[in-house]
Amino acid sequence: MNLKLIYVSVLMFGIAGLFLFMYLQDWIEEQHTVSEEKLYQTINQDSTFYATEESETVPKNWTSARKLSKPSKTIIEREHSQRDADPFLGMGSFSTTGLSKYSQKIKSFHKYFKHVNILPAVHSLKNYFIRDDQWKHAEQVQKNRRLLLFEFCRKYIGEHRAQSHLVRMVSRIYVEDKYKLLYCEVPKAGCSNWKRVLMVLGGLAKSTANITHNAVHYGKHLQKLDSYDTKGIYLRLKTYTKVIFVRDPMERLVSAFRDKFEHPNSYYHPVFGKAIIKKYRLNADSKALKTGSGVTFKEFIQYLLDSHRPVGMDTHWEQISRLCYPCAINYDFIGKFETLEEDANHFLKLLGAPKGLAFPNFKDRHSTDRRTNADVVKQYLSEIPASDRQQIYDFYYLDYLMFNYTVPYAWP
Ligand SMILES: *[C@@H]1O[C@H](CO)[C@@H](O)[C@H](O)[C@H]1NC(C)=O
Ligand SMILES: *[C@@H]1O[C@H](CO)[C@@H](O)[C@H](O)[C@H]1NC(C)=O
Ligand SMILES: *[C@@H]1O[C@H](CO)[C@@H](O)[C@H](O)[C@H]1NC(C)=O
């Protein structure tokens, strides 16, 4: 009898504990869920005042402020504050919401920063501009890219109030504390070489030349932003230089397919290949079913466009909009794979990187393969029906619009 009572009470305690645990987990999740606009708002606040929800410098109804649809005024104001501000800081210059009082505050905030000079990298960048106008064109290109993204997000986010975990939103971002740099990794857009550069900047390697592919991707040398606590994440988002490199969506997709499925691969073949062949290949032979090797581009696209995919997505073909949240995190520098070396070296100059450090141009995997370029992409896309090409475009729609990619391949 006594024993039974003890047994029951232990059981009750156990269950109560479990409920408490579940409740706490829910509560913690809630605390870290943030909408894209909220994150954007927070990043662009006065950085001396961390994560205040009710800061008076931020308009309460940000969506409605952005929806006021006074685009011309907004642009003029932003252009203005951009000229006043450091050209590279990006902060503030993009948080103008059309409320003049607010932009006034931003401007004084930038003036304050110029005096205090707490961002040495940004400062050296400015001197560089005064001395040299060789890069004027490059900076104009940057301005255009940021403006286009900003205008797109202003319209888009106002209508789609996406929510996500703060930790998830920053989970693809690498941190380099010495140069106060945040790099959002987009696979198949030069990320291996970027990681090499980060390792050299951080003093983890002397030169990019000797860092192997495995050391880059599995060495765990680089710190991710999601490894910091909330305060550390916000602090870095607000004060560090944020950079992203993007690529034409179709090229990126074809490049990912070639890399992962046209060469032996001990992860992609068994995990993705097997599931893809099993679901989409009629009369698949037992060898293909067992190894998962030999997936065709057509089968891969069937998987990609299937709303009931047999296996999940992968960062190599995930949309950039879902990897790096470009509407929430206002990247200071938007580089493109199509002009990778030029953009990357421009950026390294702006950052004040050591003179000897140039962006490496080697392709470290399957280096004998032809690089995925427009002709190669055309060839792959000719293997699939036009309706599929249209659907791929729809799938990467946000990436196309955010980064001003045109659609040369989607149509027959
Ligand atoms: C914000 O603005 C929108 C559009 O003007 C309006 O519908 C909404 O009620 C406002 N929200 C708050 C909290 O004022
Ligand atoms: C977008 O791309 C088109 C075509 O490539 C180009 O003409 C235009 O200048 C670009 N727009 C911006 C803002 O960069
Ligand atoms: C790369 O490594 C080799 C041997 O480990 C060394 O001899 C060479 O100097 C290194 N190159 C650079 C650029 O560090």
Side-chain angles (χ1 to χ4, degrees):
M1 184 63 196
N2 243 353
L3 212 63
K4 200 172 170 189
L5 199 68
I6 290 169
Y7 178 72
V8 167
S9 40
V10 165
L11 198 70
M12 294 297 268
F13 267 114
I15 290 170
L18 192 67
F19 274 114
L20 183 68
F21 177 74
M22 278 159 61
Y23 171 78
L24 279 178
Q25 226 181 10
D26 259 11
W27 182 77
I28 288 168
E29 291 238 330
E30 198 105 307
Q31 297 302 300
H32 289 279
T33 301
V34 60
S35 75
E36 290 188 32
E37 66 183 285
K38 185 90 197 167
L39 179 58
Y40 182 99
Q41 207 177 80
T42 311
I43 295 173
N44 290 290
Q45 281 172 31
D46 183 334
S47 49
T48 56
F49 198 43
Y50 149 74
T52 44
E53 309 253 313
E54 301 302 328
S55 168
E56 55 159 351
T57 59
V58 176
K60 293 268 171 11
N61 199 336
W62 195 62
T63 312
S64 68
R66 290 212 295 181
K67 272 186 173 168
L68 282 178
S69 70
K70 287 183 194 160
S72 53
K73 185 157 177 265
T74 314
I75 292 169
I76 292 162
E77 278 184 6
R78 188 173 53 256
E79 286 284 297
H80 189 68
S81 67
Q82 221 162 17
R83 229 176 295 128
D84 272 4
D86 261 311
F88 196 57
L89 194 51
M91 290 161 60
S93 51
F94 276 80
S95 42
T96 312
T97 57
L99 302 178
S100 58
K101 207 170 146 199
Y102 181 48
S103 54
Q104 219 58 47
K105 288 204 170 173
I106 291 286
K107 270 182 232 165
S108 58
F109 166 60
H110 275 285
K111 285 207 181 94
Y112 169 77
F113 256 115
K114 265 191 245 176
H115 284 295
V116 177
N117 184 26
I118 71 167
L119 298 168
V122 171
H123 194 72
S124 73
L125 167 166
K126 196 154 192 195
N127 287 341
Y128 174 77
F129 265 104
I130 293 165
R131 271 187 280 112
D132 192 347
D133 58 12
Q134 183 201 344
W135 295 94
K136 269 213 173 106
H137 168 72
E139 187 50 26
Q140 191 56 47
V141 168
Q142 278 305 311
K143 260 194 185 158
N144 291 345
R145 286 179 191 168
R146 289 191 306 236
L147 189 65
L148 185 112
L149 178 61
F150 175 84
E151 287 298 326
F152 171 78
C153 293
R154 199 168 61 94
K155 289 187 212 116
Y156 181 79
I157 280 208
E159 290 152 23
H160 304 76
R161 321 191 86 205
Q163 292 245 336
S164 192
H165 264 232
L166 175 65
V167 172
R168 189 180 131 74
M169 283 187 186
V170 303
S171 65
R172 311 299 316 163
I173 295 180
Y174 285 89
V175 181
E176 207 300 290
D177 279 318
K178 203 166 136 204
Y179 281 84
K180 293 179 179 280
L181 179 62
L182 298 179
Y183 164 69
C184 188
E185 177 190 32
V186 175
K188 310 316 297 174
C191 77
S192 303
N193 280 335
W194 264 114
K195 286 180 175 171
R196 288 189 174 92
V197 167
L198 292 189
M199 285 170 72
V200 173
L201 286 175
L204 296 166
K206 277 213 170 69
S207 142
T208 55
N210 269 3
I211 311 173
T212 64
H213 182 86
N214 282 351
V216 167
H217 290 285
Y218 310 109
K220 305 226 179 295
H221 299 295
L222 297 166
Q223 197 87 10
K224 283 249 184 101
L225 189 53
D226 62 4
S227 66
Y228 294 87
D229 61 8
T230 310
K231 191 171 172 176
I233 292 174
Y234 277 119
L235 182 75
R236 284 171 180 78
L237 281 174
K238 284 176 179 191
T239 57
Y240 282 21
T241 302
K242 301 178 285 294
V243 59
I244 182 174
F245 270 72
V246 300
R247 184 176 188 178
D248 178 286
M250 295 281 179
E251 267 187 43
R252 195 173 148 246
L253 179 68
V254 170
S255 171
F257 171 77
R258 296 176 74 203
D259 183 22
K260 302 305 174 202
F261 294 103
E262 291 190 346
H263 301 274
N265 192 305
S266 61
Y267 173 70
Y268 285 91
H269 293 197
V271 174
F272 289 89
K274 263 192 199 174
I276 290 174
I277 290 172
K278 186 161 178 253
K279 179 152 186 192
Y280 307 107
R281 187 177 298 177
L282 298 172
N283 311 319
D285 63 47
S286 61
K287 183 164 171 261
L289 284 171
K290 200 163 154 250
T291 61
S293 298
V295 170
T296 65
F297 188 61
K298 207 172 162 184
E299 288 164 346
F300 176 64
I301 296 304
Q302 275 180 285
Y303 145 80
L304 184 79
L305 300 176
D306 188 347
S307 55
H308 302 285
R309 283 182 208 106
V311 272
M313 283 294 285
D314 180 83
T315 55
H316 291 81
W317 47 88
E318 179 75 278
Q319 296 101 322
I320 298 172
S321 54
R322 294 166 64 98
L323 290 172
C324 295
Y325 294 86
C327 281
I329 297 163
N330 59 325
Y331 290 96
D332 301 299
F333 191 97
I334 302 166
K336 291 199 168 179
F337 186 81
E338 291 74 16
T339 46
L340 178 60
E341 272 186 74
E342 191 186 324
D343 287 359
N345 287 322
H346 175 209
F347 178 75
L348 289 175
K349 276 216 164 89
L350 295 179
L351 193 67
K355 286 216 158 51
L357 178 61
F359 192 78
N361 65 355
F362 50 84
K363 179 174 188 279
D364 58 350
R365 277 160 66 84
H366 320 309
S367 50
T368 53
D369 280 13
R370 204 169 146 211
R371 268 198 200 261
T372 305
N373 57 24
D375 286 338
V376 173
V377 172
K378 245 187 208 146
Q379 199 188 315
Y380 278 81
L381 290 179
S382 69
E383 293 168 19
I384 58 171
S387 59
D388 279 5
R389 294 198 286 266
Q390 175 66 48
Q391 279 189 62
I392 300 173
Y393 172 72
D394 295 343
F395 186 81
Y396 290 107
Y397 179 66
L398 290 182
D399 291 359
Y400 273 101
L401 295 185
M402 283 176 172
F403 304 112
N404 195 27
Y405 280 111
T406 48
V407 200
Y409 314 122
W411 327 116

